[in-house]
Amino acid sequence: MFEVGQFIVHPGQGVCRVEGVESEPYEVYKLMPLHDRHAMVIRFPIASEDRLRSVCTEQEALDLIEGYPSMDVDTYTDRSGALEEEHFKKEIKNGTCADTVRIAKTFHKRIQDVAKQNKRPPVAYERILKEARTRSLAELAVALSTTPEDIKARFEAVE
């Protein structure tokens, strides 16, 4: 069971702080998303808490940033862009912080590769990149007690 004040990752909302626990009419966590402009308290059933996960540790975050240049990109492709987008969005929601960072790196590279051919990248690539970056920067920022902008600068420094 998660503690009040603990940071967790919600599959749909990303990083949230556990604000409390209610037991009526059934047990739920009261979660407050951190990096949402119009954040509202989310009630999440404790019976489904296996879908939530703890934010990565400080050491895991430092290792991810340090290992970023040597991190492999994802080679997954599918016969249609829609199926590919669905695959990566599901992985962003259910994967670890390392998965999200890898997806962000993958789509950053895919967009660069398309741009080198003087073509415009698919909009889906940009959507996936934005979501993966937002999620990973928010989680790493919480793990390292800093801001997403600082994390972005750290990634740029190791590239």
Side-chain angles (χ1 to χ4, degrees), residues 6-7 9 53-65 96-98 139-145 151 154:
Q6 184 176 356
F7 293 102
V9 179
R53 66 175 175 81
S54 297
V55 170
C56 67
T57 66
E58 181 179 0
Q59 189 58 52
E60 289 170 337
L62 292 170
D63 292 345
L64 261 174
I65 294 169
T96 64
C97 187
E139 184 171 352
L140 293 169
V142 167
L144 297 174
S145 302
I151 299 299
R154 289 183 188 204

Side-chain angles (χ1 to χ4, degrees), residues 41-93:
V41 173
I42 300 167
R43 286 172 169 60
F44 192 86
I46 290 178
S48 299
E49 76 177 339
D50 58 327
R51 294 181 50 219
L52 302 173
R53 66 175 175 81
S54 297
V55 170
C56 67
T57 66
E58 181 179 0
Q59 189 58 52
E60 289 170 337
L62 292 170
D63 292 345
L64 261 174
I65 294 169
E66 186 178 307
Y68 182 75
S70 61
M71 180 182 282
D72 292 332
V73 294
D74 199 316
T75 58
Y76 178 86
T77 57
D78 209 318
R79 64 185 178 277
S80 85
L83 291 173
E84 196 170 303
E85 182 176 10
E86 182 181 327
H87 166 81
F88 283 108
K89 284 191 171 189
K90 189 181 290 184
E91 196 167 340
I92 289 169
K93 286 183 176 192

Side-chain angles (χ1 to χ4, degrees), residues 1-130:
M1 189 160 172
F2 297 108
E3 304 291 323
V4 173
Q6 184 176 356
F7 293 102
I8 56 94
V9 179
H10 180 280
Q13 300 298 317
V15 179
C16 298
R17 181 179 29 253
V18 178
E19 296 289 319
V21 177
E22 290 180 355
S23 56
E24 295 295 325
Y26 53 91
E27 289 189 313
V28 295
Y29 288 116
K30 288 173 52 180
L31 306 175
M32 178 61 75
L34 287 190
H35 299 284
D36 191 0
R37 268 187 217 181
H38 308 291
M40 295 175 54
V41 173
I42 300 167
R43 286 172 169 60
F44 192 86
I46 290 178
S48 299
E49 76 177 339
D50 58 327
R51 294 181 50 219
L52 302 173
R53 66 175 175 81
S54 297
V55 170
C56 67
T57 66
E58 181 179 0
Q59 189 58 52
E60 289 170 337
L62 292 170
D63 292 345
L64 261 174
I65 294 169
E66 186 178 307
Y68 182 75
S70 61
M71 180 182 282
D72 292 332
V73 294
D74 199 316
T75 58
Y76 178 86
T77 57
D78 209 318
R79 64 185 178 277
S80 85
L83 291 173
E84 196 170 303
E85 182 176 10
E86 182 181 327
H87 166 81
F88 283 108
K89 284 191 171 189
K90 189 181 290 184
E91 196 167 340
I92 289 169
K93 286 183 176 192
N94 300 317
T96 64
C97 187
D99 293 333
T100 309
V101 170
R102 181 180 33 76
I103 292 168
K105 182 174 183 175
T106 298
F107 281 90
H108 179 71
K109 183 179 181 326
R110 287 185 184 186
I111 289 170
Q112 284 181 329
D113 291 347
V114 170
K116 285 178 187 174
Q117 298 171 4
N118 290 326
K119 294 181 180 178
R120 185 161 180 205
V123 175
Y125 283 15
E126 294 169 358
R127 275 195 305 259
I128 294 168
L129 175 61
K130 182 179 179 184

